[in-house]
Amino acid sequence: MDEKYEIVVTEEYERLVKFFVENQLEFDGDEEVDTDIIRCYKIEDNEGSLIGAAVLAKREEKYIVDGIAVHNDYRKEGLGKKLLDRLIKDTKDLGGNEIYLVARAPGFFRTQGFSNVNPDSAPNFFECKYCPQYKVSCHPEIMNILI
């Protein structure tokens, strides 16, 4: 991957939420489950346009990826892996030993070492359980990784 793209910690949470929505991540920022945002990350191009973003959060004492997306034009450049590696490193540095996420692209996360978790036995850390489309027209996969 070209190292010209740097991950920067940011306080621009609302900008990241807009980016997640624009990149088809079903994310409205109004979680029904109490969430503590730990850290927000962004990657911008040379013009300052957002091309990648991620949010590390904690719910019910579990670290979660509360959003991760890469702009369609920049996919396949390793930016998603770079963001995920940073989330894992920072979680370890904070004393965490696992991370959960709701995957719309489970194949990518499997290649990064994530495994499926039975949604019925997963902690209550995601809103999907409350959505009327869950397991009807929307089939996200709940995953985690031990680190």
Side-chain angles (χ1 to χ4, degrees):
M1 179 186 64
D2 191 337
E3 291 300 321
K4 66 182 175 180
Y5 300 117
E6 177 185 0
I7 296 175
V8 176
V9 174
T10 181
E11 298 292 322
E12 300 174 277
Y13 179 75
E14 294 304 320
R15 181 180 181 209
L16 301 189
V17 169
K18 183 178 177 188
F19 178 77
F20 293 147
V21 172
E22 289 169 355
N23 286 278
Q24 290 81 46
L25 185 64
E26 293 175 10
F27 188 99
D28 62 13
D30 295 326
E31 289 92 352
E32 294 177 22
V33 179
D34 287 337
T35 302
D36 294 322
I37 302 301
I38 304 297
R39 208 163 282 150
C40 298
Y41 309 87
K42 67 179 180 179
I43 301 175
E44 296 178 327
D45 66 11
N46 293 333
E47 286 81 42
S49 296
L50 201 54
I51 61 171
V55 175
L56 178 65
K58 209 170 186 185
R59 293 187 188 165
E60 294 188 352
E61 301 305 312
K62 302 287 185 188
Y63 287 96
I64 62 162
V65 177
D66 198 39
I68 185 168
V70 173
H71 187 283
N72 195 46
D73 293 346
Y74 293 87
R75 293 184 184 154
K76 306 293 184 198
E77 291 191 31
L79 299 179
K81 178 176 175 18
K82 188 172 184 176
L83 284 163
L84 197 56
D85 288 348
R86 178 66 182 270
L87 291 169
I88 290 169
K89 178 197 175 302
D90 287 0
T91 298
K92 283 182 186 177
D93 291 348
L94 292 165
N97 61 4
E98 67 182 329
I99 301 176
Y100 287 87
L101 56 79
V102 177
R104 287 193 57 195
F108 166 74
F109 292 106
R110 275 189 205 94
T111 67
Q112 304 305 308
F114 281 79
S115 301
N116 286 67
V117 175
N118 182 333
D120 296 328
S121 63
N124 184 24
F125 69 97
F126 66 105
E127 291 79 30
C128 296
K129 289 181 179 178
Y130 310 111
C131 178
Q133 298 307 313
Y134 180 57
K135 294 186 179 181
V136 176
S137 62
C138 184
H139 303 277
E141 295 187 28
I142 313 310
M143 305 179 88
N144 79 341
I145 186 171
L146 300 177
I147 53 175

